[in-house]
Amino acid sequence: MDRPADENILFSRISLQGDARNRRGLLHTIKEYYSHTEYQPTRQQVEENRYVFFGLLRCQPWMAIPAGILIQFCYGSVYAWSIFNGPINELMTSDPNKGGAEVTFYIALGVLGITAAICGPWIETSHPRKSGIIGLAVFYSGHLTSALAVHTHMISLLYFGYGFVAGIGLGIGYVSTIDAVSKWWPSARGTAAGCAVMGFGGGSLAFSAINKWLIDSTDLPTAFFVLGSLNFALMLVGIQFINPPPPGHNPDGIPMIGETEQQQQHLQHGHQNLATIEEDNRIEKPCVLGTLVVGQPTLHVSLSEALRSRDYWLLYIAFLANIVFCLVIISNLPRIIDGLFGKGRKVPREPPLPAYIAVSIEGGFNMMGRVMMGLLSDVLGRKTTFLLLLTTQIIILIFIPIAIHTDSFWGFLALIWAATVCYGGGFGMIPAFLADMFGSNNTSSCHGILLTAWSIASIGGGLVFSEIVSHFLSHGGKPYDPVMYTVNFMWMLALAVVGFVCCLFVRASIRDRMFPALPNQILRIRIFGRVLRVMCMRNAPLSEDLRQQRRYKKFFDVEYLTKAEEQAAWEEYLALRAVQYRLMKEPNNH
């Protein structure tokens, strides 16, 4: 029997209300998940973290660096995937140039970024050894699945095994290791993170030879099994030396005084902050003022506030622009060398340097850039170093077409290798850049989301490059025609310029980000070390006498603050935030 119309309407409304509650519940769950971004050990866990390697050795800060290098070295084997492309394609289709094995690499990098973005808060709140072991176990599972895939000749299973499963393990292990290492060295975050990431570049260099030896010595399924087992064993040893630093080792927030002075005092008094693990830290708070030690104010920034900051997304674009050029070149350098300087030329010849040696040397420059630029950022500052990287890449992208047109092989390679230093440098210093801007408790989460730029650059950049080359070849172009490569270099140059502009507007220091805004302010920027503020005065509530004194009576007012005026405004702001923080901390202040 049919229900009455009114009853149907009632049931529809109940259903809609249930769906709305479910959506609100899901959004609340996501918000809560991205709100808790701090590892808070118990006193027993703090005591256990004093020892590593199954409790046999006393934990020392220096141990994290070689352990991190070893783990990242194994994860860096993903960059040597191109060695497998030809043999896998030949096994699947009997043609080394067809089969789609290269797609596996793009899937792995895409899944890496997505996994890092999703798992960032969990990594931040978990013990780094726990997340690290899960990451390496999943990475090993991907290798075993890949061995089964090539044994059964199933390319789809290969995509799932190495692309999806190993990509998940890579995303978890990459972020957890690097951020754990950098947290042990708050006064040299760039150098510590750069050393750890250097292992990733070293892995790409070494595993090119290891993979080739395995392929020549055995069949593909056995090669994947041996490679996965080797990585698993080495990483399992390295992860035993990864522990979180004790509470108080890092600033409890973002330091608001001079960095060098703060770091020196922090190293002397860091353990005084052991009692700062409080229950209210589990609840997301807006920016509040705390103290690291007496007289040292720090600013606490929640993850949601960090992700809403325009500075984070400007840095995201700058990082994307920094890495896209070399990500495309890494997978296409042999092809470019062969087409422009080798057997693909109009008059074929052997290139002055074999392509595989050029790729290996590029891996060395990649490794060098990661540690060198991390160290340089500790000296010059993060923003200055990043602007230097982007400026260098812009110059290189201008001169590469000139080197190609003049048939300068060594000039072309020198420019590529210099760009690779900048590429590695971006990865080496970005964890420290994020920790400085948003606090060490948000590093894993912010770093994870930022790594989606890695996915976009590898997949999007690779597709755009291949589409442009395919377009020229399908319309009568030749492999030795430099035009198709020049067009690619031009869009990369445009992106690098956009990245430079975005980095220029990143407010890297806490003072620039939190400097108090005036009513109707539409722009604030630091020029030659002084703050310039622009206000829209059309609707400003000013008296007629005051309005007559303004330079732009109807539209804009411009203020170029002196150092004394800036300092006075900043001290007034800090005093206000200190009062707000004390009121929030006082019980029963209602």
Side-chain angles (χ1 to χ4, degrees), residues 330-342:
I330 283 173
S331 57
N332 290 282
L333 185 58
R335 176 182 185 175
I336 296 173
I337 290 177
D338 184 67
L340 297 178
F341 304 101

Side-chain angles (χ1 to χ4, degrees), residues 259-465:
E259 184 179 13
T260 303
E261 176 189 352
Q262 185 276 330
Q263 288 166 346
Q264 292 173 350
Q265 295 181 20
H266 169 65
L267 292 176
Q268 297 172 5
H269 305 288
H271 293 288
Q272 295 181 12
N273 203 36
L274 184 62
T276 58
I277 306 175
E278 300 171 346
E279 185 64 25
D280 66 323
N281 283 340
R282 299 181 180 272
I283 304 174
E284 181 182 6
K285 303 184 289 293
C287 285
V288 293
L289 193 68
T291 56
L292 178 63
V293 293
V294 177
Q296 291 190 32
T298 60
L299 196 71
H300 297 256
V301 178
S302 66
L303 175 61
S304 63
E305 185 171 23
L307 298 181
R308 290 196 304 267
S309 166
R310 70 176 174 91
D311 301 286
Y312 180 83
W313 296 105
L314 287 172
L315 184 59
Y316 185 101
I317 297 172
F319 179 65
L320 175 66
N322 168 248
I323 64 177
V324 69
F325 169 55
C326 281
L327 271 176
V328 172
I329 293 299
I330 283 173
S331 57
N332 290 282
L333 185 58
R335 176 182 185 175
I336 296 173
I337 290 177
D338 184 67
L340 297 178
F341 304 101
K343 296 178 179 179
R345 287 168 53 95
K346 190 173 184 179
V347 180
R349 70 179 186 188
E350 288 293 333
L353 184 71
Y356 75 93
I357 295 180
V359 172
S360 297
I361 295 175
E362 183 185 28
F365 279 102
N366 181 4
M367 183 172 60
M368 181 177 67
R370 293 173 185 245
V371 64
M372 185 175 71
M373 292 303 167
L375 174 61
L376 190 64
S377 72
D378 285 334
V379 178
L380 298 182
R382 318 294 180 208
K383 181 175 178 179
T384 301
T385 306
F386 214 93
L387 287 171
L388 179 63
L389 297 181
L390 289 166
T391 302
T392 304
Q393 287 181 304
I394 290 171
I395 295 172
I396 288 170
L397 283 164
I398 291 173
F399 280 94
I400 278 184
I402 298 174
I404 293 174
H405 281 282
T406 58
D407 198 26
S408 175
F409 175 78
W410 292 110
F412 171 79
L413 273 189
L415 291 170
I416 292 294
W417 291 336
T420 306
V421 172
C422 299
Y423 166 78
F427 278 102
M429 62 170 290
I430 204 67
F433 206 160
L434 293 170
D436 289 350
M437 289 180 63
F438 304 112
S440 60
N441 62 304
N442 291 318
T443 305
S444 294
S445 302
C446 290
H447 192 194
I449 295 174
L450 195 78
L451 288 181
T452 57
W454 194 358
S455 304
I456 293 172
S458 60
I459 298 175
L463 290 176
V464 171
F465 181 92

